[in-house]
Amino acid sequence: MILESKSGRSLEWLGLSPLYSSVNSNIKTQNKMDNFHKLIEGFHNFKQTYFLKERQYFESLEKAQNPKTLVVACCDSRVDPAILLHCKPGDLFVIRNLAALVPAVTQASNPCSVMSAIEYGVKHLNVEHIVVMGHSHCGGIHGLMAPESIAGETYIQDWVGIASPALERLQAMTGDEDEKTRSRHCEEGAVLISLDNLLSYPWIAERVKNGQLKLHALYYDLSEGNLYRFSPDSEDFELLFHTIENP
């Protein structure tokens, strides 16, 4: 099947498979586009509320991007870093993946989407900060801690295995923590593993050593709505802001 745009031009050059065409045709036939329509409506609201009212700002973004901060965050739909950190388009260079993980230099595949984006941010955008932000109730870390839940899912298994040192350290600890506390420790540990892994790349370690680049570890608690930052002094994640209680 050859797709055509509204202009009448054939989209055959895209190389879309017949399966893609038939699937999308069935979706239209079955009128199951409600969620997609919400996205289109959302874009319309964005254009009316932000783009047209801040045209000069968006014109400046058209010329170039100059973010100072690169964020590695989880792809969980509940923890969008731009929203949580109240940033505008152009403020953050964001890389999202399952459990906000960064592979060590010995683990990175070739090609590796995560490291290609980090390399671009560091070498071409000259970001000054890299933030790794984990969160509570992380499905990826749950899979690491409960491998039976991802049995046979090799892509997930291999990826979350990057954080296995955090789980190994947790298992070596003695204590009677409940499951929620153990999960939090593993989630926080995974963030620190990713921070360590960043330093395994010479071009990152050199910039950190020279003061050109700073690394930060953040943890967002979904239940509390609180943000924590790892402090090397206390060797723990410390609350950044107290929750503002509803009146």
Side-chain angles (χ1 to χ4, degrees):
M1 180 182 293
I2 297 177
L3 300 179
E4 291 188 355
S5 66
K6 288 186 176 180
S7 64
R9 292 178 297 175
S10 169
L11 300 182
E12 186 180 27
W13 62 273
L14 286 173
L16 298 175
S17 71
L19 176 61
Y20 173 88
S21 303
S22 62
V23 166
N24 279 271
S25 177
N26 289 338
I27 290 176
K28 292 177 182 179
T29 302
Q30 297 167 13
N31 195 27
K32 294 183 178 179
M33 300 289 283
D34 288 348
N35 288 335
F36 183 72
H37 285 154
K38 288 181 181 179
L39 299 180
I40 301 304
E41 290 173 3
F43 173 75
H44 176 74
N45 291 335
F46 159 77
K47 189 167 185 179
Q48 296 297 321
T49 306
Y50 296 102
F51 186 83
L52 295 178
K53 291 184 178 180
E54 299 185 44
R55 193 60 183 268
Q56 186 174 0
Y57 176 74
F58 282 98
E59 285 178 353
S60 70
L61 292 182
E62 179 184 0
K63 299 172 184 176
Q65 62 169 320
N66 188 33
K68 301 299 181 185
T69 302
L70 182 157
V71 178
V72 179
C74 184
C75 52
D76 192 304
S77 60
R78 302 166 293 179
V79 288
D80 187 320
I83 294 176
L84 294 178
L85 303 175
H86 199 61
C87 293
K88 298 190 300 183
D91 287 347
L92 301 177
F93 190 67
V94 181
I95 302 157
R96 300 184 69 176
N97 64 65
L98 188 62
L101 298 175
V102 176
V105 68
T106 55
Q107 297 172 311
S109 59
N110 191 9
C112 176
S113 63
V114 171
M115 289 316 304
S116 66
I118 291 175
E119 187 170 34
Y120 186 84
V122 171
K123 294 183 178 180
H124 291 265
L125 300 179
N126 296 308
V127 295
E128 298 172 3
H129 303 271
I130 296 181
V131 174
V132 179
M133 186 169 70
H135 66 96
S136 62
H137 306 288
C138 179
I141 298 303
H142 171 74
L144 176 69
M145 299 182 69
E148 68 279 0
S149 67
I150 55 172
E153 299 169 356
T154 55
Y155 291 110
I156 299 176
Q157 290 173 333
D158 291 346
W159 182 253
V160 298
I162 292 172
S164 58
L167 179 60
E168 291 166 4
R169 293 172 192 172
L170 182 65
Q171 292 172 335
M173 294 171 57
T174 58
D176 57 352
E177 293 95 346
D178 57 29
E179 192 61 30
K180 181 178 179 180
T181 301
R182 289 178 62 81
S183 294
R184 177 162 186 153
H185 286 163
C186 196
E187 289 160 350
E188 292 176 341
V191 174
L192 299 180
I193 291 295
S194 289
L195 224 61
D196 284 343
N197 287 346
L198 282 168
L199 292 171
S200 69
Y201 297 87
W203 41 275
I204 291 179
E206 185 67 22
R207 285 170 171 79
V208 171
K209 181 180 179 180
N210 294 338
Q212 298 171 279
L213 183 64
K214 291 181 171 57
L215 307 184
H216 311 273
L218 296 181
Y219 179 85
Y220 175 65
D221 189 301
L222 281 164
S223 303
E224 302 173 353
N226 284 335
L227 189 64
Y228 296 78
R229 179 183 179 183
F230 182 77
S231 168
D233 295 331
S234 65
E235 296 186 350
D236 198 3
F237 282 82
E238 298 180 349
L239 180 64
L240 287 178
F241 301 101
H242 289 283
T243 302
I244 300 175
E245 299 293 343
N246 291 325

